[in-house]
Amino acid sequence: MTKTPMDKGGAPRQQAIDRARTMTTAQGGPVADDQNSLKAGARGPTLLEDHVMRDKIFHFDHERIPERVVHARGYGVHGHFELTEAIPDLSCADIFQRVGEKTLTFTRFSTVAGNKGSFDLARDVRGFATKFYTKEGNWDLVGNNIPVFFIQDAMKFPDLVHSVKQAPDRGFPQAQSAHDNFWDFISLSPEAVHMTLWQMSDRAIPRSFRFMEGFGVHTFRLINAEGRSHYVKFHWKPRQGLQSVVWNEALKINGADPDFHRRDMWDAIDAGDFPQWDLGIQVFDDAFADDFEFDILDPTKIIPEERVPVRRIGTLTLDAHVDNFFAETEQVAFCTQNIVRGIDQTNDPLLQGRNFSYLDTQLKRLGGPNFTQIPINAPKCPVHHFQQDGHMAIRNLKGRANYEPNSWGEDGGPRENPEIGFASHPEEVTGTKQRVRSETFADHYSQARQFWISQTATERRHIAAGYTFELSKCQHERIRLRMLGHLMNVHDDLANAVAKGLGITEMPEPAKPARTPITDLPPSDALSILKNGPDSFAGRKLGLYICDGADAELIGALEEAFRAEGAMVTIVAPHIHGATLSDGTRKPADEKIDGAPSVVFDAVALVLSEDGGRTLANNKPSQDFVSDAFAHAKFIAWTAAAMPLLKATGVAGNMDAGVVAIDSGTVDAFVKCCRDLRFWAREDKME
Ligand code: HDE
């Protein structure tokens, strides 16, 4: 018979555990044995009266809640927002009044299409939702990392989401848009074309949540104390600069580390390298709105930053992990209707639909109307109302008054206050009740073209390759051709590159535009990732590959130089136990080579000994480490002893300025190279 702690005599162990640490049931009863159920005899049946086991298994059986219908896979982080420019002239929102004041926040990043257990580097839009716990209530800015959306009317959202998620008959594909259903829907919905350019660009495969922008997408309103309204678009500008990976890299990262983005955020915060974004506002008035080529209520359009500059008014700093993933990241509930006095809605039909959807879905997901009482959702300012009861009511009324008006005086509970209470902008609204799409929403191609011409040659190549990859996964020719018909309205270069990639020699008829596209919108540098990269390697990661006998001095110099740059260094070695270096010291490894392919680093360095260089030249993971880094246009530093490995991978015959020979004296020069993040000229050449 297996001995339980009680059988062992109980007394010594029980004395060692103080009462505060004693395990209990959910009812608070101390548990004596957490290993064995209660049985009638050692080999007998388990007894129904075993309240300890029932308590435990009952709760386990109910651990899961429905995952979000979209944005299921997310990662939440605490932080704060600090105002750097007060804007009382524009908004009376309390959060925008006092420079230097900090407001606590919770931000959840997410992918959209994949299920909760899917991988991080799917080609997808990223959610960027922030809850500001302001002194006048919670404000949620529920945005994405792409400033436009696929559809113009909320009515189409279920169709869009059904088309991109797993097909109902087969239950796949998971977390990807590269399939017939998605492109069938898109190619029948010309309004989506603009967003697909963003989605096929590297914006949809960010290197890190830390290196992407965020956008509120819709036009909102700012209202000042006099009730004056301005329109506003919200932006998040990463102080870390923009950066994405390339598609072939994304595919491999998903295998090597499906948690790549969440791990990256965890590591950065753990290292005290807190990511920051500036909150930007584009503010404009009715006169601008009337003058603008497109409808400011149309969520498939941007307002170029060259037309209305982004004004930075504050900084978001993410500086703390959650204590518990479920309690916070899973249970957080964002809603576009969580707005505060001084910020208001517009008639964007997508926003109006969202305003219905979020509360509705959360009621199902979180099981009742009291999810506002869960700590992560609860405001951090006083809350007074007469709402009561319901599932899991934690915060309950005291006293007899649960209605108002009442005549109970001081004990009668809260009262309304028109002076500081929320007031909607008194916009005049008239119209005939009808189901229509406004004529002013009819242009679908002009800004798609503008996006295309704003990209560098490298980025254009990636966009065309993105469409080619995705449409190649469509088994139905008519879908591929229909989509090509739209791309012909965007730009000939794009359409021709995709046609070539698909092997189509006879172009289809272009799609018939609902409105003739504008072809002379000027390029906007703000739309390019590569024009908005960082000017340092800070926050990035060097993979430093070492082996027995490797030069200790050089390894130390590299570590020091990259840390001084604000970068992280991961030591990779043939064995996890590390390597014995040239000076006889043992250097522990962070990763074994097989588990740390170069795709998880931004640049790599090969500091090998002669023996190591020769042996590792025949080692497949070592070869992949080098050839992938080369193919993904990364900077590669090498010592002479690594030459056999460079030869074995074909890199030696294709040396370029991104493959840098180093010694202790030239480490700084290598750090400098790495500030460009990638050596794109290599990719141009490979093409
Ligand atoms: Fe969402 N969206 N959405 N969405 N959305 C949800 O709410 C919806 C849209 C966004 O980390 C859901 O609590 C409709 C645009 C983010 O918890 C749901 C429409 C933008 C998140 C919902 C849109 C977003 C969501 C699912 C079209 C960018 C994750 C779970 C009218 C501006 C928030 C939930 C988090 C989540 C509905 C379109 C961003 C179903 C109906 C546009 C970042 O309510």
Side-chain angles (χ1 to χ4, degrees):
M1 192 193 308
T2 312
K3 295 208 164 193
T4 65
M6 284 299 279
D7 292 329
K8 281 183 214 147
R13 178 161 167 181
Q14 290 217 326
Q15 271 165 12
I17 301 173
D18 65 29
R19 190 139 187 118
R21 285 187 55 232
T22 297
M23 180 184 286
T24 70
T25 64
Q27 303 297 332
V31 172
D33 179 350
D34 188 43
Q35 320 301 320
N36 302 296
S37 55
L38 186 67
K39 302 176 196 75
R43 300 178 60 245
T46 302
L47 299 177
L48 191 59
E49 77 170 61
D50 186 351
H51 71 282
V52 179
M53 182 177 83
R54 289 198 59 212
D55 173 270
K56 184 175 180 180
I57 292 192
F58 149 77
H59 199 277
F60 168 76
D61 289 346
H62 298 275
E63 269 176 13
R64 297 286 175 273
I65 61 171
E67 67 174 36
R68 288 165 174 80
V69 62
V70 280
H71 296 265
R73 183 171 177 78
Y75 199 66
V77 197
H78 291 276
H80 62 266
F81 172 75
E82 181 171 347
L83 193 70
T84 50
E85 186 196 337
I87 51 165
D89 51 321
L90 294 172
S91 170
C92 59
D94 186 71
I95 186 178
F96 295 143
Q97 304 309 307
R98 294 165 296 277
V99 168
E101 189 169 288
K102 291 182 180 165
T103 302
L104 290 176
T105 58
F106 187 72
T107 298
R108 184 175 180 273
F109 299 103
S110 48
T111 51
V112 180
N115 291 354
K116 217 173 112 181
S118 56
F119 35 86
D120 277 353
L121 258 165
R123 177 179 290 284
D124 200 354
V125 182
R126 298 298 183 288
F128 188 147
T130 298
K131 193 179 281 296
F132 298 78
Y133 302 94
T134 89
K135 286 185 178 149
E136 290 191 343
N138 289 352
W139 171 41
D140 293 354
L141 183 53
V142 197
N144 280 342
N145 74 330
I146 290 180
V148 288
F149 203 62
F150 291 109
I151 48 168
Q152 295 172 322
D153 192 308
M155 185 77 160
K156 297 311 299 167
F157 192 63
D159 299 293
L160 167 72
V161 174
H162 286 177
S163 80
V164 73
K165 285 227 171 202
Q166 307 97 299
D169 54 354
R170 59 210 72 186
F172 62 85
Q174 173 63 245
Q176 45 198 302
S177 49
H179 55 99
D180 285 298
N181 275 13
F182 178 71
W183 289 102
D184 189 30
F185 175 80
I186 294 292
S187 59
L188 293 169
S189 311
E191 70 207 66
V193 170
H194 181 197
M195 172 108 169
T196 65
L197 267 104
W198 289 79
Q199 183 204 5
M200 292 306 108
S201 82
D202 296 342
R203 296 251 177 185
I205 40 172
R207 155 66 177 82
S208 157
F209 294 136
R210 297 181 292 139
F211 308 147
M212 61 185 205
E213 291 179 304
F215 304 91
V217 175
H218 314 280
T219 298
F220 291 89
R221 285 179 188 278
L222 292 177
I223 314 285
N224 71 11
E226 285 78 52
R228 181 136 189 255
S229 157
H230 285 87
Y231 294 114
V232 63
K233 288 225 183 236
F234 292 107
H235 295 245
W236 288 118
K237 296 279 188 191
R239 291 213 168 164
Q240 300 74 227
L242 294 181
Q243 188 186 344
S244 286
V245 300
V246 296
W247 178 236
N248 179 269
E249 200 181 358
L251 291 174
K252 291 174 176 167
I253 291 173
N254 283 332
D257 184 4
D259 304 308
F260 187 65
H261 282 158
R262 46 179 70 189
R263 191 187 309 282
D264 169 270
M265 183 62 81
W266 176 275
D267 287 349
I269 289 183
D270 244 17
D273 184 9
F274 303 138
Q276 292 189 308
W277 285 259
D278 287 332
L279 178 68
I281 51 173
Q282 278 180 302
V283 180
F284 52 96
D285 57 14
D286 282 310
F288 173 88
D290 293 343
D291 200 39
F292 189 52
E293 293 90 343
F294 309 103
D295 196 324
I296 57 128
L297 299 182
D298 174 357
T300 66
K301 305 294 183 295
I302 57 158
I303 297 181
E305 294 186 24
E306 290 74 10
R307 292 287 292 275
V308 179
V310 173
R311 198 165 141 190
R312 297 176 188 231
I313 59 165
T315 305
L316 173 73
T317 304
L318 302 184
D319 55 7
H321 304 304
V322 295
D323 287 329
N324 182 280
F325 188 87
F326 179 81
E328 296 159 74
T329 306
E330 280 307 289
Q331 294 199 117
V332 67
F334 296 96
C335 178
T336 48
Q337 271 188 325
N338 292 347
I339 47 174
V340 289
R341 194 174 68 107
I343 302 172
D344 207 356
Q345 312 282 351
T346 60
N347 297 334
D348 173 342
L350 201 68
L351 176 59
Q352 296 279 323
R354 293 180 74 197
N355 283 339
F356 162 75
S357 177
Y358 288 71
L359 267 186
D360 186 47
T361 199
Q362 281 147 14
L363 189 64
K364 165 95 178 165
R365 189 164 66 81
L366 298 168
N370 288 322
F371 61 81
T372 52
Q373 299 177 19
I374 299 173
I376 195 68
N377 295 320
K380 298 194 190 299
C381 61
V383 175
H384 304 290
H385 52 62
F386 292 112
Q387 294 171 16
Q388 67 172 23
D389 303 352
H391 284 289
M392 315 288 169
I394 310 284
R395 198 186 149 272
N396 297 302
L397 296 173
K398 288 202 176 113
R400 71 180 298 167
N402 60 355
Y403 60 94
E404 97 52 63
N406 64 51
S407 62
W408 299 110
E410 284 285 292
D411 294 334
R415 293 289 184 268
E416 60 212 2
N417 181 343
E419 261 166 49
I420 60 163
F422 185 87
S424 293
H425 178 64
E427 180 183 3
E428 271 191 36
V429 182
T430 55
T432 315
K433 212 187 267 182
Q434 53 189 336
R435 287 185 193 278
V436 288
R437 192 70 60 91
S438 169
E439 266 297 298
T440 54
F441 283 33
D443 182 308
H444 302 316
Y445 302 109
S446 308
Q447 285 203 343
R449 180 188 181 87
Q450 183 176 38
F451 182 80
W452 172 258
I453 61 169
S454 303
Q455 308 299 313
T456 61
T458 305
E459 290 170 303
R460 284 185 212 174
R461 198 167 53 232
H462 292 178
I463 294 169
Y467 279 109
T468 305
F469 178 90
E470 299 256 323
L471 294 175
S472 299
K473 291 280 182 187
C474 293
Q475 290 169 343
H476 294 265
E477 185 183 89
R478 67 170 194 283
I479 296 175
R480 297 195 289 263
L481 292 176
R482 206 191 295 139
M483 197 57 218
L484 197 55
H486 289 293
L487 300 185
M488 291 165 76
N489 290 339
V490 176
H491 202 285
D492 282 345
D493 291 352
L494 172 61
N496 291 337
V498 175
K500 190 170 165 215
L502 294 173
I504 293 173
T505 43
E506 212 170 301
M507 293 303 256
E509 279 294 304
K512 206 169 162 0
R515 174 173 293 178
T516 313
I518 307 169
T519 51
D520 60 356
L521 294 177
S524 162
D525 281 353
L527 304 183
S528 153
I529 299 171
L530 295 186
K531 294 175 193 167
N532 293 283
D535 48 16
S536 94
F537 197 69
R540 274 67 182 178
K541 217 179 221 180
L542 175 77
L544 176 47
Y545 192 20
I546 64 167
C547 63
D548 284 342
D551 182 343
E553 192 191 338
L554 179 55
I555 291 168
L558 276 166
E559 283 187 297
E560 202 183 306
F562 276 88
R563 294 211 171 113
E565 178 80 356
M568 287 181 246
V569 178
T570 299
I571 301 290
V572 184
H575 307 287
I576 194 63
H577 197 58
T580 305
L581 304 185
S582 57
D583 62 357
T585 57
R586 193 176 65 80
K587 181 87 181 159
D590 300 308
E591 294 280 358
K592 172 168 161 52
I593 181 74
D594 316 47
S598 59
V599 289
V600 302
F601 305 114
D602 297 290
V604 297
L606 313 169
V607 181
L608 305 179
S609 61
E610 288 202 359
D611 266 5
R614 264 196 307 274
T615 319
L616 297 175
N618 298 315
N619 171 266
K620 189 72 175 85
S622 304
Q623 291 175 356
D624 288 349
F625 189 84
V626 175
S627 54
D628 272 349
F630 188 77
H632 301 145
K634 288 179 183 163
F635 287 95
I636 303 172
W638 59 286
T639 53
M643 190 39 110
L645 187 52
L646 295 182
K647 278 191 181 148
T649 51
V651 172
N654 290 293
M655 294 297 236
D656 57 40
V659 185
V660 185
I662 47 160
D663 55 37
S664 306
T666 53
V667 163
D668 287 340
F670 179 58
V671 175
K672 230 173 175 182
C673 287
C674 290
R675 290 179 186 156
D676 286 342
L677 302 183
R678 299 288 164 110
F679 186 70
W680 293 118
R682 184 186 306 148
E683 205 191 69
D684 301 345
K685 202 171 124 200
M686 284 197 283
E687 282 297 308

